[in-house]
Amino acid sequence: MVMFRYLAATAITLGMGGYVLADGSIAFAAKSEYQRCLRETERARKECTFGGCGNILGSCYEREITVIETDSEKLTQSLQSKKCALQAIQLSTNFATLQEANSKIDALSGSWSEFDLRVRTSLLKNHALHLLAKECGA
């Protein structure tokens, strides 16, 4: 409970209804969006009787990833006018290449592990961009 109070006290609201911590971590915002989606789709997931029921949960992962990627895009844009603009673009490109390579791993393709890897890679990219912004004085 004490940790939740700390998070609530140090968080600011994002446009998507999540929270980003004062230190720039988007993980809380992303997980909040995922949990919100689970609540919103609970009935549909319980009542689902067709073969594509996993798509409902997959949409929740997509929403989580979107929160992270939206923040990363905003951060990359904010770095465009800074001395590290090229490094920000290169960093984003490197992570896009990694995401693309990971998507071609057959053992993960279409699995929950693939979604988990995408979330974690997006979080790492976001963290790296925040580190770059800190170093560049953004």
Side-chain angles (χ1 to χ4, degrees), residues 2 5 12 15 24-25 46 56 64 74 92 99 108 113 116 133:
V2 172
R5 285 185 187 148
I12 58 174
S25 172
K46 286 180 180 177
I56 299 169
E64 181 177 18
K74 288 178 185 176
S92 292
Q99 287 281 34
L108 295 175
S113 295
D116 185 48

Side-chain angles (χ1 to χ4, degrees), residues 63-81:
R63 284 171 58 174
E64 181 177 18
I65 292 166
T66 297
V67 168
I68 301 163
E69 290 299 323
T70 299
D71 186 67
S72 293
E73 288 171 19
K74 288 178 185 176
L75 188 53
T76 301
Q77 289 298 320
S78 74
L79 288 167
Q80 292 303 307
S81 62

